[in-house]
Amino acid sequence: MKMKRVKNGGIPYLMLGDEANHVAHSYVTASCFDRSGGIVTARLKEQDAMECLYVRTDLKTGEERILYEDGKWPQFLVWNDKLFHYHGKELLETDIPSGITSCLWQGEYELYGIPSITQDGRYLGVSWYYEDHSTSVSIFDKNTGECREIVRKKFPAPYEWISHVMVNPADESKCFFCHEGDCCYITNRLWIADTAQKTAKLLFRQQMDSEMGNGESCGHEMWSFDGKGMYFVKYISATILPRGVWYVDQASKKAKSIAESYPYWHVGVSPDGRYLAADTQEPTGKSDIVLIDLETGEEKVLARIPITGIHPCHPHPVFSQDGTKLCFTMLGENGRLAVGIISVKDAVGKKMNLQAMNLIEKVTDRMVFGSDTDWGMDLNRFDWVPGVGLCGIFRAFEATKREDYIQYLNRWAQLHAKDAYTQKTINSTAPCIMLLGLYELTGKAEYRKVCQDMAEYILREAPRTIDGGLEHTVTERVPGLVDQMWADTLFMACIFMARAGRILGKKEYTGLAVSQLKLHYRYLFDRENGLFYHAWHGGRKDHMGGIHWGRANGWIAYSTAEILKEAGAFEGRDKILEDAKILFDTLKKYQRENGMFGTVLDDKDAYEEISASCGIAAGILRMVRFGYIGQEYREMAERTIANLPRYIAEDGTVLQVSTGTPVYQEASVYKKIPIAPTLYGQGLMVLALAEV
C-alpha cells in the first residue's frame, strides 16, 4: 500500500493506492471512515471482478489490516467502529478494532446491493432478488434480530430490478429505492417505501422530451441528512434544463434545482446537512470534485482527478461521519484504481464555523426573542433554569459579537438582579455566572455587588453536608435536601465561585470551588464503573439509587474544565485530571452510535438526552482547548457536535431534552422523565456549538 500527497492545482489530497490491487471505496449509502482515524476500502485483484478483501488503513500511520477476506464490492459500509457487509445470504458485522466477524442475520436469498443504516445505528436497509425477478426492500433491526420486508416489487422487463435501497437516516419507517434506466423506457424513477403502510409511492417521475428521449435522465439519489428529502442529479444527457443537483421533498414531492454550474454526475451529503460533494462527468477522462455550500450557494472545485468512467472507477464522493473528510475513487498510478481523501477543513477553512455560528444564533434567538411563560422556557426568573440559558446567551455574544445579545442581558440584569436576594439557594446562584461576565465587560458596580454578596453567602452561610459539601438547595418546594451533594452544584454555584475569585480578587472564593470539586470527585465518582452518580447522601453514606444520570455527567464534565481553568495549580489537581480522563474514556464506551448519550448513561434502553450530550461534548472540547487532555479525545466530542443540528427545530427550539430531574431510586423513573423545551437545553446547546 502507498499513501501519497497529491497537489494538482486544487486542494492537496491523500491518494491511497496498492501496487498489486485496485483500491475502491463503497458509495451511495456508505461511509468508509471509522471513528478511530481509519478508512476501510475494497482491494480487488481485477477492476471488473467484484470479489475483494476489506482492508482498514490507519490514515496517520499507514498501517494496514485485513478485516475480511471474502468480500464483494461495493457491498459494505462502515458505521463508527463496525463494518457491515454481505456474504451470500448473510448480513455480517465485523468489529473493526478486534477484527471479529459475526453473523447478524441470514435470509433465504442472496443479499445484493449496499447495506444502509439509520443515524442511531439500529436499523439497516437490506435487499435481495426473488426467483421471479422481484426485489425485496427490507429493514433489519439490530436490537431484535428481526428483518421485516416493507415491499416486494417488480417492474416490467427489460428493467425489472430496483436498486439503491436506502433506509431513511432519521426515520426507519421510510426506505428509498430507485428504478434505474433511460427515461425513454422508465419514467417512475424515485420511490419511497413505507413500513407502516407496506406500500411504495412514486417520489419523482422522469420526463421524456418532445423527441421521446432522455428529457430528465437522473440518478445517484441520496437522503438529505435530516431524512426529509432526497438529493439527486439530472445527468448531462438530460435535455430538459436545468441539469445538475436537485432536491425533492418527500412530503410534498416538490423538486427544485440546487446547483447547475458543472456537469454533475454523483452527489454525497455531509452529516450536518451544510455541504454537498459532487463529481462531474467530463468527456476527457477527468472528473472534478466539487464542494457545494448549501447555505451560500457556492460551488467550489476541490480537485481534478483521472477516471475511467467504468465502475468501480466512478468517483462517488462520500463524507466521513464527522464531516471533516471526503473520499472518492479515482484512477491511480500504473492504471490501477486508488482512493483519494480530501480534508473538508482545508477546503472551506474558517467558513467551517459558519454553520455553527448560524445555529448558535438560531438557538439564542429562541431564548432572547421568545415570550414563553412555562417553567422550562421562562427567562424572567432568578433561578437555575434561566441561569443556564443566560450562560448560553452570554457565550453566544462572545462567539457572535451580536450587540443585541448583550443589550438583552443588560436589560435582564436591570430587571432581575435584585431577585438574587429573594431566596438564596445553590441552584438559584446560576444567573450569577452571567452577571459576573457582565460585570467584567461593563464594570457596573451594581453587578459586582450582587455577585460579591452571593459569593459571600455561599462561602460563609450556605448549608453544608456532613462531608463538607454544599447542600444542593433549590427554590422549588421539595422535601429537605439535608446532607445531599448533587452533581448539579458544580455548575450552578462552583463555576461562579471559581471565576469570582479571579474577577473579584478573592482567592477564598476559588478555593471553595476547588474544595467542592475535590469533594464531588471523591463522593460522586464511581471508580468501578468510571461514571459519576447523580448524588451522594452523606448521612446515609449512599448514592441514593446509584444512577449514572447523563446530565449529571454533563454538569461534571463542563464544570471540571471551567474550575480547573480558573484555579491554576492546587494540591490534588493531577488526581482530578486522572479521574477526568477515566470519565471521558468511560463515556466513549457508552456513547451511542449517533454520537449522543442516554439519560441513564449505562442503560442502552434509556432515551437519548441532548442536554447531557451537549454538556459532555462541551466539557471535553474545553478540556482539549485548555490542554488538560489530549487531542485524541476531540473526535468523541466532534461526533456529538456533528449530529446536533438534527436536534434543533426550525424555530431554534432544542429537542429531546428531559425536564427537571430530582434524584430517584430507580433507573426506570429516570427513563420516564418527560421531554420538553428548556432553557438549560438551549444554553448547553450553545455552549457545545461555541466550541466548534
Side-chain angles (χ1 to χ4, degrees):
M1 190 280 301
K2 190 186 297 183
M3 287 200 301
K4 177 181 179 182
R5 296 292 292 178
V6 177
K7 181 74 166 70
N8 63 358
I11 303 297
Y13 60 86
L14 187 69
M15 187 172 70
L16 186 66
D18 190 322
E19 294 179 355
N21 299 285
H22 294 272
V23 182
H25 75 308
S26 192
Y27 70 101
V28 185
T29 69
S31 172
C32 312
F33 298 87
D34 63 25
R35 64 181 182 184
S36 305
I39 186 171
V40 177
T41 56
R43 304 299 168 88
L44 303 93
K45 283 292 183 183
E46 302 296 334
Q47 181 176 334
D48 58 354
M50 301 298 99
E51 290 72 21
C52 65
L53 308 175
Y54 298 138
V55 179
R56 180 191 186 269
T57 304
D58 188 307
L59 294 177
K60 295 179 181 177
T61 66
E63 178 185 354
E64 289 202 322
R65 186 158 49 89
I66 296 174
L67 297 176
Y68 190 74
E69 295 187 353
D70 195 13
K72 195 170 184 178
W73 182 89
Q75 298 180 348
F76 70 99
L77 71 83
V78 175
W79 186 251
N80 293 337
D81 283 334
K82 305 291 185 183
L83 167 67
F84 298 96
H85 49 111
Y86 298 153
H87 183 265
K89 301 175 182 179
E90 295 179 321
L91 171 61
L92 304 179
E93 177 187 85
T94 297
D95 180 73
I96 293 174
S98 68
I100 297 173
T101 298
S102 56
C103 179
L104 296 177
W105 176 77
Q106 180 172 332
E108 298 181 24
Y109 297 88
E110 183 170 345
L111 301 173
Y112 93 97
I114 307 167
S116 57
I117 197 163
T118 53
Q119 286 290 350
D120 60 8
R122 175 172 175 176
Y123 298 93
L124 287 104
V126 297
S127 58
W128 60 85
Y129 296 134
Y130 289 103
E131 296 94 336
D132 64 355
H133 295 183
S134 61
T135 305
S136 174
V137 177
S138 299
I139 301 292
F140 173 75
D141 185 338
K142 282 183 61 186
N143 284 11
T144 65
E146 177 190 10
C147 189
R148 293 176 291 121
E149 183 172 85
I150 303 176
V151 294
R152 174 177 176 176
K153 195 164 184 65
K154 178 183 177 182
F155 292 103
Y159 296 98
E160 300 163 287
W161 316 107
I162 67 175
S163 59
H164 293 188
V165 172
M166 289 179 273
V167 64
N168 187 305
D171 179 4
E172 74 280 0
S173 72
K174 302 289 192 302
C175 199
F176 170 82
F177 63 89
C178 74
H179 185 200
E180 288 194 273
D182 292 342
C183 63
C184 54
Y185 299 102
I186 295 171
T187 58
N188 49 359
R189 170 74 195 202
L190 313 186
W191 292 78
I192 296 291
D194 188 294
T195 302
Q197 304 294 327
K198 290 203 169 185
T199 58
K201 297 180 180 179
L202 187 62
L203 181 62
F204 182 82
R205 184 184 299 277
Q206 299 176 133
Q207 294 185 64
M208 291 181 285
D209 60 23
S210 59
E211 303 296 325
M212 303 300 289
N214 285 326
E216 288 186 308
S217 179
C218 65
H220 198 68
E221 308 79 10
M222 287 288 290
W223 279 111
S224 61
F225 83 106
D226 56 9
K228 293 181 179 180
M230 305 289 301
Y231 291 99
F232 64 95
V233 175
K234 286 190 182 178
Y235 294 136
I236 58 174
S237 60
T239 58
I240 297 176
L241 304 180
R243 304 182 185 100
V245 179
W246 281 63
Y247 174 82
V248 58
D249 179 80
Q250 69 157 317
S252 67
K253 297 186 180 179
K254 291 182 178 178
K256 62 180 180 180
S257 173
I258 299 296
E260 55 180 294
S261 298
Y262 297 91
Y264 289 120
W265 196 10
H266 310 100
V267 64
V269 185
S270 70
D272 62 4
R274 170 66 187 275
Y275 297 99
L276 303 178
D279 57 30
T280 64
Q281 189 173 18
E282 312 276 1
T284 59
K286 301 285 185 180
S287 179
D288 289 331
I289 305 298
V290 183
L291 192 71
I292 302 167
D293 187 329
L294 291 174
E295 187 167 298
T296 66
E298 180 184 10
E299 299 167 69
K300 180 179 181 180
V301 175
L302 306 183
R304 171 158 285 194
I305 59 171
I307 61 169
T308 66
I310 302 172
H311 251 321
C313 196
H314 290 184
H316 287 290
V318 174
F319 284 90
S320 60
Q321 294 171 51
D322 61 6
T324 62
K325 303 180 185 69
L326 61 89
C327 68
F328 46 85
T329 297
M330 58 182 291
L331 191 63
E333 299 171 337
N334 302 319
R336 295 192 175 274
L337 304 186
V339 169
I341 302 164
I342 286 180
S343 166
V344 178
K345 287 185 177 180
D346 290 344
V348 299
K350 293 184 179 179
K351 289 197 296 184
M352 278 291 289
N353 292 327
L354 190 56
Q355 191 213 22
M357 290 293 186
N358 290 336
L359 290 172
I360 287 170
E361 291 182 346
K362 192 174 187 178
V363 172
T364 305
D365 287 353
R366 175 69 178 84
M367 293 188 280
V368 170
F369 302 113
S371 57
D372 303 77
T373 57
D374 61 286
W375 177 86
M377 291 293 287
D378 182 8
L379 268 169
N380 295 303
R381 296 177 295 123
F382 203 105
D383 206 346
W384 76 276
V385 176
V388 182
L390 293 166
C391 289
I393 297 171
F394 192 88
R395 188 74 179 94
F397 164 72
E398 291 181 317
T400 67
K401 305 304 180 187
R402 271 182 53 174
E403 286 297 322
D404 54 344
Y405 291 163
I406 211 68
Q407 290 166 4
Y408 174 84
L409 293 174
N410 270 304
R411 289 196 304 272
W412 188 96
Q414 294 296 320
L415 289 170
H416 299 292
K418 62 183 184 299
D419 298 336
Y421 302 102
T422 302
Q423 188 174 353
K424 294 178 182 177
T425 69
I426 288 300
N427 244 9
S428 62
T429 305
C432 290
I433 303 173
M434 182 277 294
L435 272 183
L436 199 59
L438 211 53
Y439 164 67
E440 191 175 28
L441 194 66
T442 66
K444 290 187 177 181
E446 60 265 38
Y447 299 161
R448 179 187 177 99
K449 182 178 187 327
V450 173
C451 291
Q452 185 141 345
D453 288 348
M454 289 302 296
E456 286 292 311
Y457 163 76
I458 292 171
L459 180 68
R460 307 186 192 283
E461 300 178 42
R464 301 291 200 274
T465 70
I466 192 172
D467 303 302
L470 290 167
E471 281 184 359
H472 190 74
T473 51
V474 300
T475 58
E476 292 88 355
R477 292 184 178 181
V478 295
L481 303 179
V482 176
D483 274 334
Q484 294 185 24
M485 200 185 318
W486 291 19
D488 314 44
T489 295
L490 285 185
F491 191 100
M492 306 307 162
C494 295
I495 292 177
F496 163 67
M497 292 298 285
R499 289 183 187 170
R502 170 178 59 83
I503 295 171
L504 304 180
K506 299 280 189 177
K507 291 183 179 179
E508 57 267 41
Y509 297 163
T510 303
L512 177 92
V514 168
S515 69
Q516 295 301 311
L517 182 68
K518 291 179 180 178
L519 286 169
H520 279 69
Y521 268 75
R522 178 179 177 184
Y523 288 105
L524 271 68
F525 189 42
D526 182 352
R527 298 190 178 280
E528 291 185 6
N529 177 281
L531 299 172
F532 276 84
Y533 295 111
H534 190 168
W536 165 256
H537 196 298
R540 300 200 317 236
K541 305 299 180 188
D542 66 33
H543 291 103
M544 305 172 63
I547 308 303
H548 301 113
W549 182 43
R551 195 155 63 234
N553 285 261
W555 297 136
I556 294 284
Y558 192 83
S559 303
T560 299
E562 298 306 299
I563 294 169
L564 290 176
K565 179 176 180 289
E566 300 292 354
F570 61 84
E571 185 178 351
R573 182 186 178 94
D574 289 345
K575 178 60 176 170
I576 295 291
L577 284 170
E578 179 184 316
D579 288 344
K581 289 178 182 177
I582 294 173
L583 168 64
F584 299 145
D585 288 337
T586 305
L587 285 168
K588 187 172 184 178
K589 294 193 302 184
Y590 293 111
Q591 189 174 26
R592 305 284 173 91
E593 292 198 34
N594 65 349
M596 301 300 129
F597 295 89
T599 194
V600 179
L601 291 169
D602 48 355
D603 187 331
K604 62 181 175 57
D605 296 323
Y607 62 77
E608 63 189 26
E609 208 284 321
I610 300 310
S611 68
S613 301
C614 288
I616 290 167
I620 291 171
L621 291 175
R622 296 290 273 179
M623 294 284 281
V624 172
R625 182 189 296 270
F626 300 149
Y628 302 151
I629 58 177
Q631 291 290 329
E632 65 271 18
Y633 290 95
R634 177 181 293 277
E635 188 273 341
M636 175 171 61
E638 288 181 341
R639 283 183 55 222
T640 303
I641 299 290
N643 281 302
L644 290 182
R646 70 184 65 253
Y647 298 98
I648 300 172
E650 282 301 313
D651 68 351
T653 301
V654 176
L655 308 174
Q656 197 64 25
V657 176
S658 61
T659 56
T661 308
V663 180
Y664 291 109
Q665 295 296 315
E666 297 178 358
S668 60
V669 185
Y670 284 82
K671 294 191 289 185
K672 295 177 182 177
I673 294 291
I675 299 294
T678 69
L679 291 166
Y680 52 84
Q682 303 290 126
L684 287 167
M685 176 65 78
V686 172
L687 295 182
L689 292 171
E691 295 307 309
V692 174

